[in-house]
Amino acid sequence: MTVSLEQLRRCHVAVDLGAARTRVFVKGAGLVVDEPSVAAVNTRTGALIAVGALAEKMTGRTPDYIRVVRPVSGGTVVDIDMAQRMLRHLLGEKLRRQLRRKPRLRAAACTPHDSDPLAQRAAVETLVGLGARRVELVDTLIAAAVGCGLPVEQPTATMILVCGAATTQVAVLSLGAIVTAERMPVGGNAIDHAVIQHLRHHHELMLPSQSVRPLQLALSGNGLTTHGPAWTEIHGRDVATGLARSVTVDTAAVRDAIHTPLTAVLDGIGKVLRDCPPDLVADLADRGIMMVGGSALLPGLDQMLREATGMPVHIAERPDVCAVLGLGAMLEGKVQPMVLDPLAEKDPLADED
């Protein structure tokens, strides 16, 4: 852990800027913001029209002069100014006033594993623009492991899989640090895109972008498992005519389309295990893999990983908010570092007395 727990205890607010959702934890108040990372802007005046859930509902339904933007992509802030404006409106005037009363406001933020210095600087600049005097950066993998209750500070191996909207991260942790880790550019968005492309190419059907999540629409049974319904009726728009149309889709074919992007996740898990010391791999055979992140709730994904790796696979109790809750636990001092008792050197003159 690059940031000490003592430094994190001095922070007042923790922010998880994700590609799908933005979450804010305030010390003493808990989780105060959990909204989509979306903003709607009037391109004529530059005014902010809506943020969060309301802005997400506008996607694909706006006139020409309204633009729906996502200032965070792949866990990295790509538009600092828009991210600051979005956070201000999500926090609200009352909460911002309370934070401004802090004499030296400190903030903590999650960053994806192995993020480049430019991405880290963007996260820092975003929170500095909100009034933070100092910003501490914590690896998302460690924060999520703490949030789901894994004993990261102990000398035992714990494996965590963070399934985000744009990326998937997997790591083996021990003694409060990352032993081996891998980040794959495949997430929930890529899985949804695979379903959309399958329906477009094989059934000439376009799905609505925001009316329902495409994946849950296509797999209304048991998801990636074979116990779901054999056929599913889907409503959308005909590619050629533009008229509304319904088709009956073979869910087995949709499952095959989903497996294609998920092979990258399996390859990343295999690489992490190959690079991990044998002693830690032996621990993982009993402890298994902990899944967190919004895409961890994908039906049947845990079963697929269980069959591919041969290890137990568990889903966290609240997988979508584990990272920000882990940061909050560090802020409130609920995480204690492991204390090592050094061997006391024996005084050679002690026996002569």
Side-chain angles (χ1 to χ4, degrees):
M1 192 179 299
T2 55
V3 182
S4 68
L5 292 173
E6 186 61 35
Q7 290 174 310
L8 289 173
R9 288 193 189 99
R10 299 173 185 171
C11 295
H12 307 95
V13 60
V15 180
D16 179 16
L17 282 169
R21 301 184 73 87
T22 294
R23 300 176 176 92
V24 180
F25 184 101
V26 175
K27 184 186 288 187
L31 187 64
V32 296
V33 173
D34 185 3
E35 292 280 341
S37 304
V38 189
V41 186
N42 188 328
T43 56
R44 295 174 181 172
T45 63
L48 205 59
I49 298 175
V51 295
L54 180 58
E56 190 176 44
K57 292 180 181 178
M58 295 181 180
T59 304
R61 306 171 185 269
T62 60
D64 293 338
Y65 67 93
I66 296 179
R67 186 166 59 99
V68 178
V69 297
R70 292 182 176 270
V72 185
S73 176
T76 302
V77 179
V78 293
D79 189 339
I80 296 176
D81 179 61
M82 187 56 63
Q84 290 175 350
R85 295 173 66 184
M86 179 186 72
L87 269 176
R88 288 193 193 100
H89 282 78
L90 289 177
L91 288 172
E93 182 62 34
K94 181 179 179 181
L95 188 55
R96 291 207 315 272
R97 197 182 305 117
Q98 292 177 359
L99 293 177
R100 280 198 296 265
R101 293 172 184 167
K102 307 291 183 182
R104 289 186 59 85
L105 181 63
R106 289 175 175 240
C110 291
T111 56
H113 175 70
D114 207 16
S115 58
D116 57 85
L118 205 59
Q120 297 179 7
R121 180 62 182 267
V124 172
E125 290 294 332
T126 301
L127 297 183
V128 167
L130 293 176
R133 299 293 184 89
R134 184 181 177 92
V135 179
E136 309 289 356
L137 299 179
V138 180
D139 198 301
T140 303
L141 291 164
I142 296 179
V146 172
C148 62
L150 292 178
V152 293
E153 295 293 338
Q154 299 302 316
T156 55
T158 53
M159 192 171 192
I160 187 165
L161 183 72
V162 180
C163 307
T167 60
T168 300
Q169 306 172 68
V170 60
V172 174
L173 309 176
S174 180
L175 290 173
I178 296 173
V179 180
T180 57
E182 192 74 18
R183 182 169 60 153
M184 294 77 70
V186 175
N189 294 343
I191 296 172
D192 288 349
H193 183 71
V195 176
I196 292 173
Q197 292 302 311
H198 171 79
L199 296 175
R200 185 186 180 100
H201 294 155
H202 293 81
H203 300 276
E204 297 182 348
L205 190 76
M206 292 184 65
L207 289 180
S209 59
Q210 291 296 324
S211 58
V212 286
R213 183 171 178 179
L215 181 64
Q216 295 174 351
L217 176 70
L219 300 175
S220 56
N222 291 324
L224 299 179
T225 63
T226 57
H227 305 293
W231 302 90
T232 303
E233 187 178 9
I234 299 179
H235 309 280
R237 191 184 75 183
D238 190 277
V239 174
T241 64
L243 301 176
R245 185 163 65 93
S246 300
V247 297
T248 302
V249 179
D250 181 9
T251 54
V254 178
R255 281 196 296 270
D256 292 339
I258 290 174
H259 275 279
T260 302
L262 289 180
T263 52
V265 177
L266 297 177
D267 292 342
I269 294 176
K271 186 177 185 304
V272 167
L273 291 175
R274 286 193 300 270
D275 296 341
C276 189
D279 291 343
L280 296 181
V281 175
D283 291 343
L284 295 176
D286 299 328
R287 306 179 70 88
I289 304 172
M290 178 65 74
M291 294 177 58
V292 301
S295 299
L297 299 173
L298 176 66
L301 178 58
D302 56 338
Q303 181 64 29
M304 190 196 76
L305 294 177
R306 197 174 291 116
E307 295 173 356
T309 61
M311 295 191 301
V313 179
H314 314 282
I315 301 178
E317 185 177 351
R318 299 179 65 187
D320 51 339
V321 293
C322 278
V324 71
L325 291 182
L327 272 182
M330 297 179 194
L331 263 62
E332 294 182 339
K334 296 180 180 178
V335 180
Q336 299 296 329
M338 186 177 66
V339 179
L340 297 176
D341 294 330
L343 295 175
E345 294 186 4
K346 187 177 180 180
D347 188 357
L349 298 179
D351 296 337
E352 297 180 1
D353 295 340

